[in-house]
Amino acid sequence: MTENSPSSTQSSQFTGTQKWTLLATILASSLVFIDSTALNVALPALQADLGISGTQLLWVINGYALFLSALLLVGGSLGDLYGRNKMFLLGLGLFSLSSLVCGISQTPIQLIVARSFQGVGAALLTPGSLSIISSQFGAESRGRAIGLWSTFSAVTAVFGPILGGWLAGMGWWRVIFIINIPLSLIVFVTMLTRVPESLNPDAGKLDVWGALWVTLGLAGLTYGFIESPKQGLGNPIIIMSLSVGVLALIAFIRVEYVSKHPMMPLELFKSSTFSGGNLLTLFVYGALGGALFFLPLNLIQIQNYSEMYAGMAMLPMIIFIASISPLMGKYVDRRGIRLPLIIGPMVTSVGFFLFSTYGVTQGPVDYWQTYFISFSLVGIGMGITVAPLTAAVMGAVSPNNAGIASGINNTIARAAGVLAVALFGALVLFYFNSSIEKELTSMQLSEPMKTEIRLEASKLAGAEAPSTLSDDQKSAVETLFKDSFIMAFNRVAYSASLLTFIGGLMALAFINRKPEAKDEDLLEQVI
């Protein structure tokens, strides 16, 4: 079955095959969404159970995100070349098997390695969902099918933090991973028995060198940033890692420039709207990914929210994004994309900045006067931004390049999250450890006790005062840990606010008032 083989029926009703296709792709995408949104809230419980250090905690997230971002375009290309169902199921198998290993991991290293393989599986699985839908639905029903897929994805995102918080609160964080197994089995059976295979007969060769260079580049920068607070920026290994990362990304751009079948065609960036949209994506999604890693740690380990309350605290942000995005899709059709892409990031910037103003609160009692406002503003800002941003990127290219444009934009969004978590992580570790070290010098404690406190500080917000201290000393050390983390977290909030503000400036400078492509139907499908 080829690219043009979907049913051409003009009926408004989906065929049986199309319904099964929607079921399988929605369930599969839900696995990825639940895993991402639920896990962030469960990180403190996971850290406490496995004794994970702050640096290792960064790798639990970035081990997954690194391979997902680097191989996302490769996954789409493999599906076009060898069959979308084959690559989709291969990715699903690897993702579910890795999830099982994550769920039974007994050490931090086991979990990090399993999460990395999970990222590879997600890179094969994620692009397959939309490409399978596109292959099985004709132009008259594709927009509605993508709309349903997007709606259920949004619903999954809403319930992910609540599910993660509830499971973590019950001591069942491992279920977040293990729940993927039965859902994967349903998708496997459905895809094998109900959904025909499809591929793109015009697909070019796989850009192997491009994939290798971009993976090496992101890995080098990620390792260098995450490990630099512990080993020092002057450490030869850190210098080499960062240098390799930069040089590899330069090599990647060079390979894409000369390749006959590039995974990231550079000519698309000749459009100022396409370039501006992807710059905006880089800054805004970098801010979002970096901040959302540290927010649950702050809420649970510093502000004394339960895991369940922490998940629910994030709901206003997700609800505003899900409810405002469809309205902005209609606005784009009438008024264009430029104004919301300026206003949205600016509102988001204010929301991130407010996170830095709260200090140590009285927990959920103060929620409505503090974190509710910030989460709401971030949600409103992102809700204003998401649909116009998608329309800007997709509308700036011809319909023939819509697939690769979407893949590039998704890759940049994922890569932005990887680099932001690494950069913000380095920032937090540096300021946290500096604050601890500065205060320890003036505390009347023995050197062995100070060494024990430094060792405990490697857990970041999860650090606890040694039990051998007196009550007064224990209270002073606990206060030191909390104040130091808040100071470091405030730097994250400032950085996220600055990045989203710069994103708004990128829109002001580069985004045209309306999408550049002439295909009016394309915009409706994207929104």
Side-chain angles (χ1 to χ4, degrees), residues 5 17 112 138 143-144 191 253 262 292 308 315 325 361 383-384 446 451 479 494:
S5 61
T17 296
I112 291 168
R144 190 156 59 96
M191 289 295 298
I253 294 173
L292 289 184
M308 185 70 172
L315 274 182
S325 291
T361 69
I384 293 171
S446 65
T451 300
T479 300
Y494 299 150

Side-chain angles (χ1 to χ4, degrees), residues 131 192 237 388 439 458 465 495:
S131 61
L192 289 173
I237 294 177
E439 293 299 323
S458 67
S495 301

Side-chain angles (χ1 to χ4, degrees), residues 24 63 107 218 295 336 339 341 371 389 457 473 485:
T107 68
L218 289 173
L295 271 165
L339 186 59
L341 290 182
Y371 290 94
L389 180 56
Q473 290 174 329
F485 184 84

Side-chain angles (χ1 to χ4, degrees), residues 58 61-62 65-66 69 218 221-222 225-226 281-294 352 412-428 491-492 495-496 499:
L58 294 172
I61 295 298
N62 264 1
L66 172 64
S69 62
L218 289 173
L221 291 178
T222 300
F225 286 133
I226 290 178
T281 298
L282 180 70
F283 288 116
V284 170
Y285 280 90
L288 192 67
L292 289 184
F293 174 85
F294 290 100
F352 279 131
I412 288 174
R414 301 282 186 173
V418 172
L419 294 177
V421 169
L423 276 168
F424 288 5
L427 194 69
V428 167
R491 268 62 181 183
V492 169
S495 301
L499 287 177

